Amino acid sequence: MLSFTFRRLLIGSGMLLALSLLIFILLRLTPGDPIDAYIDPNVPMSPSDLAQLRIQLGLDQPLPFQYLAWLKEAVTGNLGYSIKRFDQPVLDLVLSRIGPTVLLMGSAIVIAVVAGIAIGVVSAVRRNSVLDISFSVFALAGISSPAFLSALIGLYIFSVRFNWMPSGGMLTPGAEFSIGDLLHHLILPASLLAIAQAALITRYMRASLLEVLNQDYVRTARAKGVYEFWVITKHALRNALLPVVTLIGSTIGLAIGGAIFIESVFNWPGMGLLLVDAVETRDYPVIMGATLVIGACVIVVNLLTDITYAVIDPRIKVG
Amino acid sequence: MNRLTRLSSALAVAAMMATTAVPAFTAPAKAATLSGGFDVGPGGFQGNFNPLAATSGFTWLSTYYEPLIAYDEKLQKVVGVLASSYQVSDDQRTYTFKLADAKWHDGQPFTAKDAKFTMELAKDAKSGSVLAARLKAVSSVEAPDDKTLVVKLDAPSASLLDTMTKVMMLPEHALSKIPADQLAKNTWWSTSPIGTGPFKFSKYVTDQYVELTANTDYRGGKPVLEKLINRYFADPAAAIAALRAGEIQFTYVDSNDVPTFKDNDAFKVIEGDSFVVNYLGFNHDSPIWKDLKIRQAVMHAIDRNAIIQSLYGGAAKQANCAYVADQLVPKDVDPYAYDPEKAKQLLEEAGWAEINGDKPITLLTYYTTPLAANVMAAVQAMLAQVGINVTPRAVDTPTYNSIVLNPTPDVSQFQMVFAGLQNGPDPGSINVGLNEKQIPPAGPNVVRARMPDLTAALDAALGETDLSKRTERYQEVCKVMNSKLPWGTLWVANRYGVVSSKVKDFIWTPAPGGGPYQAHPEKWSLAE
C-alpha cells in the first residue's frame, strides 16, 4: 500500500509538471501579453512607457528561461506575484479563493441532491399526474438552460425585480460579518448553480424508482401489508438510489464549469472569477498558479479515491 | 403513500422555492454610507491601488489621494488642489507651485519635500510609473521651502500640466524606505495607504469592495458622508443590476442602457463628453489606401448621421477631424456629407477595381460591446454598397495591442481598424496616434500615418509656447487631418453615469481615465 501511494504521488507530480508546461506553452501562444493588456488603446500611452515594466517582469527573456525561472520558484512554493495586482503573491490570491468556491459548489451540490431526489421520488410515485408533468417540464428546462442564462434570469427576477436577494458579492460591503448575511448572499447563486444538476438527478431518480417499483419484492412487501411509506423508503428508494449516487459523483464536474459562469455573474470571489479575470488581463502567474492548484486538488482527490477503494474493497489489488 | 408524497412534495417545493423562503437578514446600510461602482466602465481600473501605475481609475483614487492640480468638473481648465496656486515662467520652462496647508491621514504635515519625492518617483520608470516617459522633459524638481515646489523643464511642454494632474501626491515618510524597484510590489498600496484627500483608506476586501471612511480633519471641511464604498463588478451589466436593486447608488452605464433610466424619477442620468474620438483607421502600410480619393470615398460612403441617430440615440457629435470642440475646428473643413454616388465615382477614378476590387478587407477592433457590433455591421453594409468589402473582427484588448503594436506587423490582419483615441481636455493627446515619430515600437501610431505636413502641424502645436496661438495651431492640425484623411474620423460619443436621486451634491463626469477632476467628495451626501 505504501509503495502504491508513493508511486501514485510520483506519477501525480509528473502530471503536474506536464500540466504546467502545457499551460505555459498555451499561454505564450495566446496573442497579447500582460503589458498589451495594460495599454488602453483609447488613452495616449506609448508602448515605450511600459518597456521598463516588461523588463522588470522578465517578459523580455527567452521562453525556456522564463519557464525554468518560474519552475525553480514554484517548487519552493513561491508562485510569483500577480501582474495585474502587483503587490499580491499568487499563492495567497489562489488560496483565498478556494474557500468561497468550495462553499458555493458544496451548497449547490447539497441543494441539487436534496431537491433532485425529492422531486424525482414525487414524480415517480405520482406518475403522469399534473405535478409529475410540471416537474418534468422543469427538469427539461433545467437541463437545457446553460448556467449563464439561468444566472441572468434568476438575477433579474429575485434580485432586480423583487429585491429579495443581493445582486452579487459574498458579504454586504461595510457591514460586520454574520452567517445570516453570508447565507443571504449564497442562496441565490448556489440555487441557480444547482438547477442543472438537480434537473439531471430528478430524471434519473424518477426513472430508477419507477423501474424498482415494478419489481417483485416491492409487490411482495405491499402484499405483506407494509405501509406504503415504508415500501417506498425502505424497499424501493434504497435500491433506486444506487445509480443516482454514481451520477451525483460524475456531475460534480458540471458544477465546476457552471461555477465559473455563476461566479462571474454574481461577483462571487472564487477561483472562477479569479481565472476569468486573469485570462482577460493575461496575468500569466495567476493563470499558472490557479491551474496548478486546481490540478493538484484533482490529482489528490483521485489518489484518495483509489486508496479508499482499495481499503473498502480488498478485491482491488494494489501495490 | 400520502405521508410520503406529502413530505416529498413539501421538500421538493421547499427546495425549489428556497430562494424565496429566506428573509432579508441584512440591516440596510447606514444612510451616511455611499456605495458605487466607481471603477466600472472605461474610466475605471478595478484592483489597482497604485496611482503611479494607473492608466485610469482616477475617479476613485482621487477620493483619498490628491494631485497638486486637477481639471475643474467641466474639464475645461486646470485648477489647484494641493497647490493653492501655480505660475508658469514666460519661457514656459519653470513651473512654480505654492502648496496648500494640508495634512496626511496620519496627521503629519504635507510639505514640498513630499511633492519633490513624488515627482521623482513618477519620473523614475523603475518605480513602475507609467508617467515616466511623459515626464522626461522635467530636468529638475526643487523644494526651496516647505510650501514651494519648482519644476524645471529642458524644453517647453504644452502637456506638462495635463500630466501633472495625474501625479497623486505620496507621503515621503511612509515610502522613502522602500527601494523604488520594490515599490510596485509593496503591500502598502492595498493595506495601509495614506493620502491627503477627504476620505481615508479603511479596508479592501479582495475583489469585492474598497471601503473608505471620512477624514474628519480634511482641510476642505469634514465630509458629510461617513463611509464611501467602491464595489467591484465583472461588467457594467452587473453594476446596473446592483443599482436597480438599491445596493449601490451610482455607476457608469453603457449608452444603450440609458433609455431604461431616463423616465425614472428614482435615478438621475449624468451625460458627458467622452473626449474619445472614434475613427476608421486606414493602415497606411497597406497599398490599398494610398490614393486619397479612396479614403475620401470611405468618408462619403458612411452615413454617420444615420448611425448617430439610430445607434447612439443622437448622443454623439460628427467629427471631421480629431476634434469636435468649436474653437479647435476651422470653419472651412470639408463635412464629407453622405453621398454614395460620389463615393462610387471617386473609387472609379482611383481604379479601385484594380487596386482591391471586392477582396475582403479586415476591419479590426477592440470594442466588444453590443453597440460596437451594431456600428461595425452598419459600416460594413454602407461600405459594401459602394463596393468596399470589409469584414469586421472584434478581439480583446491584449490581442488587439499585440497585432497593432507589433514592430513588424502583419498588414493583412488589420488593413483597417475601428478604434478611439483621447482628444482632450488636452488636444495634444492625439499626437501619439498620428505623429510619424510615434510609429510602433516608439509609440501608438497604429495606422502608421507617415504624413510630413501632419507631423509638422502636430510638432508646431505641441511646441507652441504662446498660449494664445495654441488654438490656432490645433486648428491647423484639424485642417490637415480633414484634407489628408490619415483616419476616416467618425464621431465623439457621449458617456453616461446613473446616480440615485437620493444622492445630493454629487459631481461626476465621464472623464478619460476617470480624471482627475475636482469632484469635491467631501460635499456628497445621501438623503434618507
Side-chain angles (χ1 to χ4, degrees):
Chain A
M1 177 66 88
L2 215 65
S3 81
F4 166 77
T5 313
F6 180 73
R7 214 168 57 220
R8 287 297 303 266
L9 275 177
L10 214 65
I11 296 172
S13 333
M15 279 165 73
L16 274 186
L17 192 72
L19 179 71
S20 72
L21 187 63
L22 185 73
I23 296 161
F24 182 86
I25 294 169
L26 281 177
L27 276 181
R28 296 314 199 270
L29 289 176
T30 319
D33 70 9
I35 306 298
D36 289 321
Y38 208 88
I39 300 175
D40 178 351
N42 288 340
V43 173
M45 182 172 193
S46 297
S48 53
D49 293 2
L50 296 169
Q52 175 71 30
L53 209 55
R54 207 182 284 266
I55 295 168
Q56 234 169 322
L57 292 171
L59 293 170
D60 58 331
Q61 305 282 346
L63 286 186
F65 186 85
Q66 284 185 39
Y67 179 71
L68 289 176
W70 176 84
L71 193 64
K72 193 178 130 223
E73 291 298 315
V75 290
T76 65
N78 175 12
L79 293 175
Y81 284 84
S82 162
I83 290 176
K84 186 189 163 194
R85 309 149 219 258
F86 294 108
D87 56 352
Q88 296 180 42
V90 172
L91 196 63
D92 292 3
L93 269 176
V94 172
L95 291 181
S96 68
R97 302 315 168 88
I98 290 179
T101 295
V102 168
L103 179 66
L104 178 65
M105 274 177 48
S107 317
I109 290 168
V110 169
I111 295 175
V113 168
V114 172
I117 292 179
I119 297 171
V121 169
V122 175
S123 293
V125 174
R126 290 261 178 107
R127 183 153 61 120
N128 294 339
S129 67
V130 178
L131 202 61
D132 175 31
I133 293 167
S134 32
F135 280 147
S136 295
V137 172
F138 155 76
L140 187 68
I143 290 171
S144 349
S145 61
F148 66 87
L149 182 68
S150 42
L152 288 175
I153 293 174
L155 180 70
Y156 178 75
I157 296 175
F158 295 107
S159 173
V160 177
R161 196 94 196 98
F162 293 112
N163 216 345
W164 288 333
M165 307 289 158
S167 68
M170 194 163 82
L171 297 165
T172 304
E176 291 294 312
F177 175 83
S178 75
I179 296 285
D181 186 34
L182 179 65
L183 284 178
H184 191 212
H185 282 82
L186 174 67
I187 196 83
L188 185 57
S191 307
L192 292 169
L193 181 57
I195 286 180
Q197 218 185 346
L200 210 59
I201 295 173
T202 299
R203 285 174 58 143
Y204 265 73
M205 190 66 230
R206 179 178 181 273
S208 162
L209 190 59
L210 279 179
E211 204 180 298
V212 171
L213 281 176
N214 287 328
Q215 299 285 329
D216 289 345
Y217 65 84
V218 173
R219 196 176 322 135
T220 312
R222 281 183 180 143
K224 281 197 303 183
V226 177
Y227 278 121
E228 185 65 22
F229 180 82
W230 296 118
V231 171
I232 306 240
T233 47
K234 264 193 134 170
H235 298 259
L237 191 58
R238 273 198 165 184
N239 288 296
L241 268 178
L242 283 174
V244 176
V245 170
T246 319
L247 173 84
I248 291 169
S250 58
T251 52
I252 287 175
L254 201 72
I256 296 177
I260 292 185
F261 286 114
I262 299 277
E263 285 183 7
S264 299
V265 172
F266 285 93
N267 247 48
W268 189 264
M271 295 287 277
L273 191 63
L274 180 73
L275 261 178
V276 169
D277 187 54
V279 170
E280 274 173 6
T281 54
R282 305 287 192 272
D283 198 336
Y284 294 157
V286 172
I287 303 174
M288 296 281 290
T291 5
L292 204 67
V293 170
I294 294 175
C297 288
V298 171
I299 288 171
V300 168
V301 167
N302 275 336
L303 177 64
L304 288 179
T305 319
D306 284 356
I307 294 175
T308 320
Y309 269 145
V311 171
I312 294 173
D313 190 345
R315 281 174 303 176
I316 296 173
K317 278 219 171 125
V318 294
Chain B
M1 170 147 191
N2 283 340
R3 259 172 72 196
L4 174 73
T5 40
R6 244 183 277 136
L7 177 72
S8 295
S9 308
L11 254 178
V13 172
M16 280 181 72
M17 303 303 278
T19 50
T20 66
V22 179
F25 284 105
T26 43
K30 267 187 276 164
T33 300
L34 176 66
S35 301
F38 291 96
D39 272 326
V40 175
F45 193 165
Q46 294 182 12
N48 177 52
F49 292 86
N50 177 351
L52 292 171
T55 47
S56 50
F58 286 105
T59 300
W60 178 249
L61 288 174
S62 57
T63 58
Y64 60 107
Y65 290 116
E66 287 178 312
L68 292 180
I69 48 174
Y71 283 97
D72 65 344
E73 59 175 283
K74 295 206 163 69
L75 306 188
Q76 281 166 347
K77 56 179 196 289
V78 171
V79 293
V81 181
L82 272 174
S84 49
S85 67
Y86 67 90
Q87 273 186 328
V88 186
S89 68
D90 289 340
D91 65 356
Q92 305 270 322
R93 288 185 184 196
T94 307
Y95 289 69
T96 309
F97 299 89
K98 285 283 169 206
L99 307 187
D101 276 319
K103 274 191 181 133
W104 295 104
H105 293 152
D106 63 358
Q108 302 257 4
F110 162 74
T111 69
K113 275 165 74 188
D114 292 306
K116 178 174 151 64
F117 170 76
T118 307
M119 283 299 289
E120 275 162 3
L121 272 185
K123 256 175 70 64
D124 183 0
K126 280 204 197 75
S127 70
S129 165
V130 297
L131 298 162
R134 275 174 273 177
L135 289 170
K136 244 184 207 144
V138 174
S139 58
S140 77
V141 182
E142 296 306 329
D145 62 66
D146 269 2
K147 290 278 163 257
T148 314
L149 184 80
V150 181
V151 176
K152 289 197 169 141
L153 307 185
D154 290 328
S157 161
S159 61
L160 183 82
L161 285 179
D162 183 72
T163 307
M164 290 282 293
T165 64
K166 299 194 185 295
V167 184
M168 296 287 169
M169 289 299 126
L170 300 170
E172 183 181 24
H173 64 276
L175 293 176
S176 61
K177 287 195 188 75
I178 305 166
D181 59 351
Q182 294 298 313
L183 197 59
K185 285 184 179 169
N186 201 280
T187 53
W188 184 82
W189 304 103
S190 58
T191 53
S192 54
I194 50 172
T196 56
F199 287 87
K200 294 195 277 196
F201 189 89
S202 156
K203 66 175 168 185
Y204 167 49
V205 179
T206 311
D207 277 358
Q208 295 284 289
Y209 64 92
V210 189
E211 182 186 285
L212 307 182
T213 53
N215 170 15
T216 47
D217 293 333
Y218 186 59
R219 66 182 188 288
K222 184 178 168 237
V224 183
L225 295 168
E226 282 169 22
K227 278 184 186 174
L228 199 58
I229 287 173
N230 182 16
R231 280 242 335 239
Y232 284 6
F233 296 96
D235 56 64
I240 289 175
L243 181 69
R244 287 189 181 283
E247 292 163 35
I248 59 171
Q249 287 80 45
F250 162 75
T251 184
Y252 161 90
V253 298
D254 281 334
S255 56
N256 39 341
D257 288 315
V258 172
T260 60
F261 287 99
K262 276 251 155 98
D263 298 317
N264 192 335
D265 287 342
F267 300 102
K268 211 178 92 192
V269 174
I270 308 173
E271 183 172 14
D273 186 338
S274 64
F275 286 101
V276 169
V277 58
N278 286 119
Y279 62 89
L280 290 174
F282 305 105
N283 185 338
H284 294 271
D285 276 355
S286 167
I288 61 172
W289 309 116
K290 275 243 156 65
D291 194 330
L292 177 62
K293 282 183 181 154
I294 293 171
R295 306 200 294 272
Q296 287 169 337
V298 169
M299 290 298 282
H300 283 298
I302 296 171
D303 190 349
R304 292 179 287 166
N305 191 39
I307 294 178
I308 290 172
Q309 293 310 322
S310 62
L311 295 178
Y312 287 90
K317 275 188 203 158
Q318 280 196 43
N320 291 309
C321 66
Y323 307 118
V324 290
D326 291 337
Q327 76 274 17
L328 299 175
V329 182
K331 291 274 175 294
D332 55 345
V333 293
D334 190 333
Y336 292 105
Y338 175 56
D339 189 346
E341 288 314 311
K342 190 170 178 187
K344 279 184 203 164
Q345 191 197 326
L346 285 163
L347 287 173
E348 174 108 42
E349 285 170 26
W352 180 248
E354 289 79 52
I355 294 172
N356 187 74
D358 54 5
K359 282 203 285 280
I361 296 166
T362 310
L363 171 55
L364 188 72
T365 190
Y366 53 87
Y367 287 121
T368 50
T369 58
L371 174 66
N374 287 335
V375 169
M376 301 264 282
V379 166
Q380 181 183 27
M382 288 168 181
L383 289 178
Q385 274 190 344
V386 301
I388 300 174
N389 177 15
V390 299
T391 316
R393 182 176 175 225
V395 295
D396 66 1
T397 300
T399 306
Y400 176 84
N401 281 332
S402 73
I403 294 172
V404 300
L405 295 177
N406 192 332
T408 49
D410 176 1
V411 176
S412 67
Q413 286 207 47
F414 68 115
Q415 281 161 304
M416 200 179 215
V417 294
F418 172 51
L421 185 62
Q422 189 178 329
N423 70 350
D426 172 14
S429 303
I430 63 144
N431 176 61
V432 291
L434 292 163
N435 196 310
E436 192 173 340
K437 285 171 261 179
Q438 296 286 340
I439 290 177
N445 177 354
V446 298
V447 297
R448 274 80 179 167
R450 293 184 177 82
M451 299 182 165
D453 37 359
L454 180 58
T455 298
L458 284 163
D459 286 344
L462 287 178
E464 180 59 67
T465 52
D466 187 344
L467 287 170
S468 59
K469 283 192 187 144
R470 219 171 260 171
T471 315
E472 231 172 89
R473 296 285 191 192
Y474 281 113
Q475 282 198 3
E476 181 58 26
V477 171
C478 179
K479 214 168 166 175
V480 178
M481 282 191 77
N482 180 256
S483 60
K484 293 288 166 68
L485 297 177
W487 297 339
T489 45
L490 299 171
W491 46 71
V492 175
N494 286 352
R495 282 183 183 158
Y496 300 88
V498 173
V499 62
S500 157
S501 312
K502 286 183 190 157
V503 183
K504 306 291 174 208
D505 301 309
F506 185 72
I507 295 174
W508 181 82
T509 190
Y517 53 86
Q518 275 204 308
H520 292 295
E522 72 276 12
K523 293 182 182 156
W524 299 350
S525 67
L526 204 55
E528 285 295 329

